[in-house]
Amino acid sequence: MNDLVRQHTALGDTDLEWLHLLVSEWQLLSDLSFADLVLWVPTHDGARYVSVAQMRPNTGPTSYQNDMVGHLVPRGRRPMLDVALDEGRIVREGDPEWREEVPVRVESIPVRREGRVLGVIARNTNLLTVRTPSRLELTYLQSASDLAQMIAAGTFPFPGQQVDMDASPRVGDGLLRLDADGVVQYASPNGLSAYHRLGLASDLVGQHLGSITAELAPSRGPVDEALVKLASGYAPREFEVEGAGGVIQLRAIPLKPKGVRIGSLVLLRDVTELRRRERELITKDATIREIHHRVKNNLQTVAALLRLQARRMDSVRGREALNEAVRRVGSIAIVHETLSQNLDERVEFDEIADRVIAMVAEISPGKVTCRRTGRFGILDAEVATPLAMVLTEVLQNALEHAFTLAEHGTVDVSAVRGGTSVEQRLLITVQDDGCGLPEGFDPQSAGNLGLQIVRTLVEGELGGTFAMIPAPGRGTQVVLDIPVRSHK
């Protein structure tokens, strides 16, 4: 709609925003009218109309099999559009049109904003299945007529009341029609069923909706006056009411076809099961986060015990082995700590990488600087945990074997992601400027425990590749290439 309005019309941004607000609401008008709606806006020169939006009803057959958006028609071809635009009134006169052997009643509703007519809604009703209307259908049609008059007067939609039609109640979910005092004049079967779910044992018609709703909603104190007012339909609001038997979502729409409120429409639906599932998911998420938190605490306890044991050991090699185990356990604990703060099983790995680098840098024998470039991005938990251990082992190996006690140096960690929007590769390079690899050293067959862990995790668990080669110039370069999923 933005492109069509800006390309063909003279409407400004505030006018366009009003049309967006109208389009976000007009499924309601379409369903109440049992009719298709097409929004026509005059072009720059006023010689033509362009259709910028279209809506089909959920309550009846459509009048248009084809998409009308983008069509241009010259002024004069549809006289009812001209009259509605020029005179600013709803036009209903005229005989039905025949489209593909289907009789269609055509009406035109001017769209007004701040005294100006921006365009015209063509309301087209398929008359092929018309029968004697029921009480429900008469209520729908009367409500549609009231809303159409409000659109023509510029009082509907309500400014600042952007509606999410996917989440809001629809006409078919349940409808109540109230008079000016908030007394129910009509209740659809679905609307009555929703209130029965709340605990209502009688009929709704003739009852004051605000008072009944406040009685059904549990309260520890006096009657909630705000709830009474909301449910009475005095203002355009959307809210939920929870009773002993369920939860219903309500949306109140004041009706002011001639500038004075004559009553209200209340759309409602039973959302009991939806809210129950949401609560189960929230409980599940909280439980998962609590498990990660406890695992992190337990791992930190294990690391503390290993550290305590290392201090009591006389063997230098044994003490070093326990300290390496402390760092391995610590890298896993960092991942679980991050997961305990998230709502899903994904983590921003850059923070984890920085913490792993800082943790391993504490063992630096000399004045070695560790730094990171590039971004790891968001990773799944099943990738983050082994990758944290791999990064720990590679950094630990570089700091222990590449530099002497008094030697200065640097260890650079770089990460680059690439590939398609679904399947990506993460290329990680860890490069030091130390003494380099020993003569004849083969990382694929080396018996070092750390390198065995790296090979097992990278090739077996992560499905990637691992290489340790001489760095250009001086030092050693470790290259990890692993597949990862894209997360937008």
Side-chain angles (χ1 to χ4, degrees), residues 117-138:
V117 178
L118 307 181
V120 180
I121 295 175
R123 181 164 55 177
N124 303 273
T125 308
N126 187 324
L127 300 178
L128 198 60
T129 58
V130 168
R131 62 186 185 278
T132 302
S134 65
R135 178 73 189 281
L136 180 143
E137 291 168 332
L138 288 173

Side-chain angles (χ1 to χ4, degrees), residues 456-477:
T456 301
L457 292 178
V458 172
E459 297 173 358
E461 191 162 342
L462 296 175
T465 60
F466 159 69
M468 178 180 281
I469 58 177
R474 185 172 185 264
T476 304
Q477 187 180 81

Side-chain angles (χ1 to χ4, degrees), residues 75-94:
R75 183 179 173 89
R77 179 174 295 179
R78 300 191 178 183
M80 296 177 69
L81 293 181
D82 300 338
V83 175
L85 182 70
D86 296 339
E87 300 182 13
R89 65 179 179 88
I90 299 175
V91 183
R92 294 192 176 94
E93 58 265 17

Side-chain angles (χ1 to χ4, degrees), residues 2-13:
N2 284 0
D3 293 340
L4 288 171
V5 169
R6 288 176 175 141
Q7 179 182 354
H8 295 286
T9 79
L11 298 182
D13 289 342

Side-chain angles (χ1 to χ4, degrees), residues 136 173-175 186-194 196:
L136 180 143
D173 296 328
L175 179 142
Y186 175 79
S188 73
N190 285 346
L192 185 59
S193 296
H196 284 166

Side-chain angles (χ1 to χ4, degrees), residues 267-311:
L267 305 180
L268 67 158
R269 67 170 173 172
D270 184 350
V271 293
T272 305
E273 291 303 311
L274 179 63
R275 296 296 175 257
R276 181 186 62 80
R277 290 196 296 269
E278 287 177 351
R279 286 168 184 162
E280 287 180 352
L281 288 174
I282 291 172
T283 302
K284 178 182 176 182
D285 290 339
T287 302
I288 291 173
R289 289 199 299 272
E290 178 63 21
I291 290 172
H292 283 304
H293 182 70
R294 293 189 181 188
V295 169
K296 181 263 297 184
N297 289 343
N298 291 338
L299 289 172
Q300 289 180 336
T301 301
V302 171
L305 292 174
L306 291 173
R307 195 177 295 112
L308 184 63
Q309 185 67 40
R311 291 172 184 166

